[in-house]
């Protein structure tokens, strides 16, 4: 399997698989905060479509935060992976949800400051992330997009686990994922540069849409 130089490179190469959406007036690229935004920036530029952000928060196991037992999205959307969540103590689950809800609210306030509420009524929501591990975050994003009125939901990621890819394919109208190996280990393994994306990088990508 090949690797990407960085998220911008991944977005440019991903856009090559999305040419059918180029210039379509109803399409909006939605970067999942935060790592998906630089990918979505490149996708939006190549396709000639607007960029916005969709804030969702992964619910990670207390002893292994990178392993998601679910995810949260705006408007009270919550998605749980019952198999992963079942062993959790209810108090631990509630604490993780409380903490991640607070962070979701903070990011919504920061990234939507001065921007109108996201309205996807009748539009094609092109949800972009830097990769799929469990798929919980992308699954929440699909439900959020439909709740915001999207007519069609397309998920596009450069790489993902085969199981997550199959799960998303059953929920989204279309999933574009050039690499979904059965021996997938981690999203970061497919990038030369996989630095942590900060708030400033997200804000800069949004400013560039103006």
């Amino acid at each position: 399997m090949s690797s990407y130089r960085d998220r911008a490179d991944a977005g440019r190469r991903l856009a090559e698989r999305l040419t059918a959406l180029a210039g379509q007036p109803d399409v909006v690229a939605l970067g999942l905060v935060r790592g998906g935004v630089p990918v979505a920036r490149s996708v939006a530029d190549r396709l000639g479509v607007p960029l916005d952000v969709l804030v969702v928060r992964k619910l990670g196991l207390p002893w292994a935060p990178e392993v998601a037992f679910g995810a949260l999205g705006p408007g009270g959307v919550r998605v749980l992976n019952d198999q992963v969540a079942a062993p959790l103590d209810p108090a631990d689950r509630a604490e993780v949800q409380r903490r991640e809800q607070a962070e979701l609210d903070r990011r919504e306030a920061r990234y939507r400051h001065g921007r109108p509420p996201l309205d996807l009524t009748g539009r094609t929501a092109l949800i972009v992330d830097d990769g799929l591990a469990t798929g919980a975050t992308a699954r929440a994003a699909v439900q959020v997009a439909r709740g915001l009125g999207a007519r069609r939901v397309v998920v596009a990621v450069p790489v993902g686990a085969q199981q997550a890819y199959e799960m998303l394919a059953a929920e989204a109208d279309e999933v574009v994922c050039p690499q979904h190996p059965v021996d997938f280990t981690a999203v970061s393994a497919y990038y030369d540069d996989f630095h942590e994306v900060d708030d400033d990088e997200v804000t800069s990508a949004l400013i560039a849409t103006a």
Side-chain angles (χ1 to χ4, degrees):
M1 290 291 174
S2 62
S3 63
Y4 303 103
R5 289 195 303 274
D6 53 23
R7 290 178 176 89
D9 175 51
R12 288 189 291 268
R13 291 163 63 180
L14 184 59
E16 296 173 359
R17 306 293 188 99
L18 299 164
T19 54
L21 300 177
Q24 295 298 315
D26 70 320
V27 175
V28 56
L30 299 171
L32 292 189
V33 174
R34 288 182 291 206
V37 176
V39 184
R41 170 75 276 165
S42 289
V43 168
D45 287 346
R46 288 297 176 99
L47 298 184
V49 300
L51 170 70
D52 211 317
V53 294
L54 189 56
V55 182
V56 292
R57 290 295 296 170
K58 180 172 68 177
L59 299 172
L61 294 174
W63 57 88
E66 72 281 0
V67 178
F69 67 85
L72 300 176
V77 173
R78 183 184 70 168
V79 179
L80 291 180
N81 182 328
D82 293 329
Q83 185 175 1
V84 179
L88 269 177
D89 182 275
D92 291 338
R93 182 190 302 183
E95 172 57 24
V96 172
Q97 291 182 185
R98 182 202 62 76
R99 184 176 65 249
E100 297 302 340
Q101 183 66 55
E103 179 62 11
L104 185 149
D105 293 342
R106 183 194 72 81
R107 293 187 180 190
E108 272 280 287
R110 172 155 186 166
Y111 304 141
R112 298 232 71 83
H113 181 67
R115 301 166 65 85
L118 187 60
D119 183 4
L120 301 177
T121 303
R123 307 193 73 175
T124 295
L126 174 58
I127 296 171
V128 181
D129 204 357
D130 53 15
L132 292 174
T134 66
T137 303
R139 184 182 172 205
V142 170
Q143 295 193 8
V144 169
R146 294 200 191 282
L148 292 171
R151 176 183 61 83
R152 185 165 179 255
V153 180
V154 179
V155 176
V157 293
V159 63
Q162 177 69 24
Q163 185 177 6
Y165 168 77
E166 293 173 354
M167 179 186 71
L168 264 296
E171 299 213 12
D173 295 296
E174 183 181 357
V175 178
V176 177
C177 181
Q179 300 189 62
H180 42 91
V182 293
D183 59 348
F184 176 89
T185 52
V187 172
S188 60
Y190 296 85
Y191 287 83
D192 297 330
D193 173 5
F194 197 69
H195 67 274
E196 183 174 351
V197 176
D198 61 20
D199 286 340
D200 289 341
E201 189 171 349
V202 173
T203 301
S204 295
L206 291 173
I207 290 173
T209 67

